[in-house]
Amino acid sequence: MAIITLTTDFGLKDHYVSAIKGAILSRLPGATIVDISHKIEKYNLLDASYILKESYPNFPEGTIHIIGINTELSNSGGYVLLKQNGHYFVGADNGIFSLLFEETPREIREISPADDRELSFPVRDVFVKAACELAAGTDFNIIGTPKDGLLERIAFRATSMGDNIRGSFVYIDSYGNVTTNIDRRLFEQVGKRRPFLIELARHSIERISKEYSEVPEGEVLAIFNSSDYLEIAMRNGKAGSLLNLKINDSITIRFL
Amino acid sequence: MAIITLTTDFGLKDHYVSAIKGAILSRLPGATIVDISHKIEKYNLLDASYILKESYPNFPEGTIHIIGINTELSNSGGYVLLKQNGHYFVGADNGIFSLLFEETPREIREISPADDRELSFPVRDVFVKAACELAAGTDFNIIGTPKDGLLERIAFRATSMGDNIRGSFVYIDSYGNVTTNIDRRLFEQVGKRRPFLIELARHSIERISKEYSEVPEGEVLAIFNSSDYLEIAMRNGKAGSLLNLKINDSITIRFL
Amino acid sequence: MAIITLTTDFGLKDHYVSAIKGAILSRLPGATIVDISHKIEKYNLLDASYILKESYPNFPEGTIHIIGINTELSNSGGYVLLKQNGHYFVGADNGIFSLLFEETPREIREISPADDRELSFPVRDVFVKAACELAAGTDFNIIGTPKDGLLERIAFRATSMGDNIRGSFVYIDSYGNVTTNIDRRLFEQVGKRRPFLIELARHSIERISKEYSEVPEGEVLAIFNSSDYLEIAMRNGKAGSLLNLKINDSITIRFL
C-alpha cells in the first residue's frame, strides 16, 4: 500500500493536518500516512526544502510526498505533481522544487482545482486528490496535464576558489547544530587531505570530528552529518545561539 | 479496519497519548489511529469543539472519535458513546457535544467505568474499551446502556437583525487567522448581494476575498474558509494579534 | 505485524523522526510505528525513562521500543537490543535501562554499527536495522552478540523508616501534576490504614483523593495516578509551579 508523507507549516494544534489525513483515508482506506514535519517556519520555503531533502530519501521509492506551504494559486506557477529520484511530489510551483533538487525535474504534471471553492484548502482538495489517484494505481502520465518548467529560486551553493571553500549556513536544528551547504565531496576535492582552518566569525576549527563526544563539553566541533554535509556543533548542543550563527551567514574553509 | 481519532488536551510530551494508542493496539491490532489534535488549550471545551468540528467530517463515515478533555466523572453527566452524522464519538458528557453539533444527538449510550481505578485515566480505560468494542463489530445498541439527554452548554451563534448580522470570533489559528461563527448561508440570506461593511473594532472591510493573496501584504481581508465560515485574515498572517481580536469578541456585518 | 515505538529527544520540527520512520518502512513495509514522545528534555535520561516506563506496558507484548537519546557510541557501553517484561528495547547502554526497569535485564544482545558512517545517526542506521530484523522474524538470540551487564545509574527510590516514607518528585506533566516515586504498595504497607500527613515544603495534605474534582478549584490534593504512584496535583492544574515543586525535591509522608 502506498506511503504518503506530509510536510507543511500548518503546526500541530489546528485541524488542518488531521483534515488532510481524513481526506486521504476517505479516498484510500489503509493508506500509510507519515508526518515529515508540520512545524516548518511559516512561509519559509528554505526551511521546508531542507527538512524534506534530508528526510525523503529515507522512504522507499514510489512514496508520495505532499508539500503544504505557500499554496496560494495566484502566487505560484500552478499546482504540480512530479516525479524525481524515484519519488513523487505534490505541491505548489512556488520555487520549492528548485531548492529541493539539484537537477531540474522533467516529469511534471499540472493539476488544477475543480472550482474556486478548492482554493481555500488546496492541500486537502487538490493535492490529496492527485496523490490518492496516483497511489490507487492511476498512471502518472494521465493525471492532470503535462507541464514544462518550474519556477526557480536561487539556492546558494557552496563554491571553491583556489584553496578556499565558501559556503553558508542553511539550517539550525533543535540541538542548535548548524548545517552548512558544504558537502564531503567538495571538501575532499578541494582539500586533497591538506590541513585546514574552518573560519567562523569568532572561532576557527582545525579538524573534523567523527562523534560529538570527541571534544570536551562546551567546545566547538565540525562534523559531517548523516547526509555528508558539514555541520558546526557543540557537545551537548546550542552551537547556533552560543556562537551567534545565523541562516545564510557565510563560512569559509581555508586549506593550508 | 476501523479508524479511531484522538482529540485531547494532553499535549505531546507526556506519556498519555501513547498510552492510549498502546491500549487501542492491544485490543485491536492493526487499528488506524489518527491524531486530530493534542494541543487543545487545557480544559477549553470551545477550543476542542471547534477543532474537532472542522476536522471530523473529513474522515469516512463510521470513524470513531475519542475526545479526551475534562473527563472527570463527577464533573460530568457520565461517559457516553454516541452516533451523529454517520460518525461515532466517545467522551465525557461535559457539554462538548452541544458545542460540537447543531442538532441534539439522539443515539446515545452511557458507558461506565468497571471500577474506581479506571477513574484516574478514563480515556485509556473506559473510552478506548468502548471504541474498540464498536470497532471490532459489536452492535452500537448493546454497548453500555441507553441514555436520554446530554448536558447543554450554550454556544453563541451568529444572529441577524434587520440589515445586520452579529457574530463573534470563535478560533484563532496558528497563522493568526480569526474565524467567526458567521457562515456563508446566513451572509447570503441577509445580504441578498447588497454592498456591506464588516465592522471590527478599528477596521472595516468592504469585500470578501477568494484568496489571501488578493490584497497587498499586511492588509486585512475577509474570506470564507474551507468550512464556509467567515474569517478575518491578513496576507502572511497575524491578523489576530495585530488587530487585537479575541475569542468571543463580537463582529458586525452591516448591509447597506 | 510488529509494532515499533519511538522515544527520542529529537523534537518534532527536524527531519530526524521522519527519517527513522522512512528507514523502518523501507525495511518493513506495513510496520505500525507509534510515537511515544519526541519531546523528551534534551539529554535527560530520567525524563525519557519516566515517560517510557509509563507508556510501554500499555502496548501488546512483543512490541519493539526504540530509544533515541544520548546515543553517542563512545559515551556508552555500546548499543543493545534487550528483552524485558515481554517487550523489546533498542538503545544505547547509557544507564537508561537501570532507570527504566526495577529488575536488571538478563537477555541482552549487543548490536554494532557496520562502519563509522553509521555513528552519525545510529538510531536510523543501527537501531532501526536491529528492530526490523527482529520484527521480520529473526530470532532474538542470533541478532548481534550476547552481552552480560548494563551501565547502572542510580534511580532514587522511595524508602521507609519507622512511620515515615521519604520519596522524591520524578516528573511534572503538562498539567503541572507532580508525580512522586512513592507507590501505593509502599504507602499501604507502611501506613496500615493510619491517618497521615503528606508534607511538602509549605503545605501538608491529610488524605488521598480519588478524583481531581474532589477538592475546590485551586486546592492541593494527593492522588494515586493510573500507575499507582502518588501524585501531587491541583484541580485545574499547575501544582508544580504554584507550589514551587521541583524534580528530585523530597517529599515525606508521616503516619500518625
Side-chain angles (χ1 to χ4, degrees):
Chain A
M1 175 53 76
I3 301 168
I4 298 176
T5 81
L6 306 176
T7 305
T8 77
D9 64 352
F10 292 164
L12 289 168
K13 188 195 164 189
D14 298 337
H15 67 279
Y16 303 117
V17 170
S18 62
I20 295 168
K21 292 180 180 175
I24 292 173
L25 292 169
S26 292
R27 289 174 178 275
L28 207 67
T32 297
I33 306 169
V34 182
D35 299 309
I36 286 189
S37 180
H38 299 293
K39 298 185 80 169
I40 304 295
E41 197 189 316
K42 295 243 186 273
Y43 314 115
N44 188 334
L45 293 180
L46 193 65
D47 204 44
S49 69
Y50 177 81
I51 289 171
L52 183 50
K53 184 161 52 177
E54 290 293 300
S55 181
Y56 89 78
N58 294 285
F59 287 83
E61 292 212 345
T63 297
I64 303 165
H65 306 279
I66 293 179
I67 307 171
I69 181 168
N70 298 4
T71 60
E72 300 258 294
L73 185 57
S74 59
N75 254 355
S76 76
Y79 299 146
V80 296
L81 164 68
L82 60 84
K83 186 173 182 183
Q84 185 81 340
N85 303 330
H87 291 249
Y88 297 97
F89 299 83
V90 193
D93 176 21
N94 52 27
I96 193 163
F97 298 110
S98 63
L99 300 172
L100 193 55
F101 305 120
E102 307 253 322
E103 311 211 338
T104 309
R106 305 242 163 272
E107 299 185 75
I108 311 167
R109 308 294 301 178
E110 177 153 14
I111 53 178
S112 302
D115 56 41
D116 273 8
R117 302 284 281 261
E118 295 192 352
L119 291 181
S120 65
F121 198 173
V123 181
R124 182 192 65 183
D125 294 336
V126 184
F127 299 3
V128 161
K129 187 172 169 237
C132 289
E133 276 178 25
L134 185 65
T138 305
D139 184 351
F140 173 82
N141 292 303
I142 65 166
I143 298 175
T145 54
K147 182 174 161 74
D148 259 351
L150 291 169
L151 287 186
E152 297 270 339
R153 269 175 67 111
I154 289 158
F156 293 106
R157 299 200 199 279
T159 53
S160 62
M161 186 177 294
D163 291 335
N164 292 352
I165 295 174
R166 177 116 188 193
S168 59
F169 301 120
V170 295
Y171 190 75
I172 302 178
D173 76 8
S174 64
Y175 296 88
N177 299 331
V178 187
T179 308
T180 72
N181 55 1
I182 301 172
D183 67 7
R184 192 193 293 264
R185 202 178 43 80
L186 183 63
F187 181 86
E188 291 177 349
Q189 185 185 312
V190 177
K192 302 189 186 76
R193 297 173 174 268
R194 287 177 290 172
F196 57 86
L197 277 181
I198 299 173
E199 298 179 333
L200 309 174
R202 275 183 299 235
H203 277 79
S204 64
I205 305 170
E206 298 180 5
R207 66 195 197 84
I208 305 286
S209 299
K210 281 222 163 73
E211 276 201 301
Y212 297 105
S213 52
E214 267 177 36
V215 303
E217 208 151 316
E219 199 167 295
V220 184
L221 63 95
I223 192 168
F224 282 108
N225 71 11
S226 60
S227 303
D228 269 348
Y229 280 93
L230 192 71
E231 182 181 296
I232 306 302
M234 288 175 85
R235 180 148 165 216
N236 287 1
K238 303 198 179 144
S241 55
L242 290 175
L243 301 176
N244 199 27
L245 307 179
K246 306 240 181 296
I247 301 294
N248 290 329
D249 280 1
S250 69
I251 173 176
T252 301
I253 306 179
R254 198 151 53 81
F255 290 93
L256 308 173
Chain B
M1 175 54 78
I3 299 168
I4 298 177
T5 80
L6 306 176
T7 305
T8 77
D9 64 353
F10 291 163
L12 289 169
K13 187 194 164 189
D14 298 337
H15 67 278
Y16 303 116
V17 170
S18 61
I20 295 168
K21 293 180 181 176
I24 292 172
L25 292 170
S26 292
R27 289 174 178 276
L28 208 66
T32 297
I33 307 170
V34 183
D35 300 309
I36 286 189
S37 181
H38 300 293
K39 299 185 80 170
I40 304 295
E41 197 188 318
K42 296 243 186 271
Y43 314 114
N44 188 333
L45 293 179
L46 193 65
D47 203 45
S49 69
Y50 177 80
I51 289 171
L52 183 50
K53 184 161 55 178
E54 290 293 298
S55 181
Y56 89 80
N58 294 285
F59 287 83
E61 291 213 347
T63 297
I64 303 166
H65 305 278
I66 293 179
I67 307 171
I69 182 169
N70 298 3
T71 60
E72 300 260 292
L73 184 58
S74 59
N75 254 357
S76 75
Y79 299 146
V80 296
L81 165 68
L82 60 83
K83 186 174 182 183
Q84 185 82 340
N85 303 330
H87 292 249
Y88 297 97
F89 299 83
V90 193
D93 176 21
N94 52 26
I96 192 164
F97 298 109
S98 63
L99 300 172
L100 194 55
F101 305 120
E102 307 252 323
E103 310 211 339
T104 308
R106 304 243 164 271
E107 298 184 77
I108 310 168
R109 308 295 301 179
E110 176 154 14
I111 53 178
S112 301
D115 57 40
D116 272 9
R117 303 283 281 260
E118 295 192 351
L119 291 181
S120 64
F121 198 173
V123 181
R124 182 191 65 182
D125 295 336
V126 184
F127 299 3
V128 162
K129 188 172 167 234
C132 288
E133 276 178 24
L134 185 65
T138 304
D139 183 350
F140 173 82
N141 291 303
I142 67 166
I143 297 175
T145 54
K147 183 174 162 72
D148 260 352
L150 291 168
L151 287 185
E152 296 270 338
R153 270 174 66 110
I154 289 157
F156 293 106
R157 298 198 200 282
T159 53
S160 62
M161 187 179 293
D163 291 334
N164 292 351
I165 295 174
R166 177 118 188 192
S168 59
F169 300 120
V170 294
Y171 191 75
I172 303 178
D173 76 8
S174 63
Y175 297 87
N177 299 331
V178 186
T179 308
T180 73
N181 55 0
I182 301 171
D183 67 7
R184 191 193 293 265
R185 202 179 42 81
L186 182 64
F187 180 87
E188 290 177 350
Q189 185 186 311
V190 178
K192 301 189 188 75
R193 297 172 175 267
R194 287 177 290 172
F196 57 87
L197 276 180
I198 299 173
E199 298 179 333
L200 309 174
R202 276 183 299 235
H203 276 80
S204 64
I205 304 169
E206 297 181 5
R207 65 193 198 87
I208 306 285
S209 299
K210 282 221 164 71
E211 276 201 300
Y212 297 104
S213 51
E214 268 178 36
V215 302
E217 207 151 316
E219 198 167 298
V220 184
L221 62 97
I223 191 168
F224 282 109
N225 71 13
S226 59
S227 303
D228 269 348
Y229 280 93
L230 192 70
E231 183 181 293
I232 305 302
M234 287 175 84
R235 178 146 167 220
N236 288 2
K238 303 197 179 144
S241 55
L242 289 174
L243 300 175
N244 199 27
L245 307 179
K246 306 239 180 298
I247 301 294
N248 290 327
D249 280 1
S250 70
I251 172 176
T252 301
I253 306 177
R254 199 152 53 82
F255 291 93
L256 308 173
Chain C
M1 175 54 77
I3 301 167
I4 298 176
T5 80
L6 307 176
T7 305
T8 77
D9 64 352
F10 292 163
L12 289 168
K13 187 194 165 191
D14 298 336
H15 67 278
Y16 303 116
V17 170
S18 62
I20 295 168
K21 293 180 181 175
I24 293 172
L25 292 169
S26 292
R27 289 175 178 275
L28 207 67
T32 297
I33 306 170
V34 182
D35 300 309
I36 286 189
S37 180
H38 299 292
K39 299 184 80 169
I40 304 295
E41 197 188 316
K42 296 244 185 270
Y43 315 114
N44 188 334
L45 293 180
L46 194 66
D47 204 45
S49 68
Y50 177 81
I51 289 171
L52 183 51
K53 184 160 56 179
E54 290 294 299
S55 181
Y56 90 78
N58 295 285
F59 287 83
E61 291 212 346
T63 297
I64 303 165
H65 305 280
I66 292 178
I67 307 171
I69 181 169
N70 298 4
T71 60
E72 299 259 293
L73 185 58
S74 59
N75 253 357
S76 76
Y79 299 146
V80 296
L81 164 68
L82 60 84
K83 186 174 181 182
Q84 185 81 341
N85 302 330
H87 291 248
Y88 297 97
F89 299 83
V90 194
D93 175 22
N94 52 26
I96 193 164
F97 298 110
S98 63
L99 300 171
L100 193 56
F101 305 120
E102 307 252 323
E103 312 210 338
T104 309
R106 304 242 163 273
E107 298 185 76
I108 311 168
R109 309 295 300 178
E110 177 154 12
I111 54 178
S112 303
D115 58 39
D116 272 8
R117 303 283 282 260
E118 294 192 355
L119 292 180
S120 66
F121 198 172
V123 182
R124 182 191 65 183
D125 295 335
V126 184
F127 299 4
V128 162
K129 187 172 168 234
C132 288
E133 276 179 24
L134 186 65
T138 304
D139 184 351
F140 173 81
N141 292 302
I142 66 165
I143 297 175
T145 54
K147 183 174 160 72
D148 259 353
L150 291 169
L151 288 184
E152 296 270 338
R153 270 174 67 112
I154 290 157
F156 293 107
R157 299 199 198 282
T159 54
S160 63
M161 187 179 292
D163 291 336
N164 292 352
I165 295 174
R166 178 118 187 190
S168 59
F169 300 121
V170 295
Y171 190 76
I172 302 178
D173 76 8
S174 64
Y175 297 88
N177 299 332
V178 187
T179 308
T180 73
N181 55 0
I182 300 171
D183 67 6
R184 191 193 293 263
R185 202 178 44 81
L186 182 66
F187 181 88
E188 290 177 349
Q189 185 185 311
V190 178
K192 302 189 186 75
R193 297 173 174 268
R194 288 177 291 173
F196 56 87
L197 277 180
I198 298 173
E199 298 179 333
L200 309 174
R202 275 182 300 235
H203 276 81
S204 64
I205 305 169
E206 298 180 5
R207 66 194 198 84
I208 306 287
S209 298
K210 281 222 166 70
E211 275 200 302
Y212 297 105
S213 52
E214 268 178 34
V215 302
E217 207 151 318
E219 198 168 297
V220 185
L221 62 95
I223 192 168
F224 282 109
N225 71 13
S226 60
S227 304
D228 269 349
Y229 281 93
L230 192 70
E231 182 181 294
I232 306 303
M234 289 174 84
R235 180 148 165 217
N236 287 3
K238 304 200 179 144
S241 55
L242 290 174
L243 301 174
N244 198 28
L245 307 179
K246 306 242 179 296
I247 301 295
N248 291 328
D249 280 2
S250 69
I251 172 176
T252 301
I253 307 179
R254 200 151 53 80
F255 291 94
L256 309 172

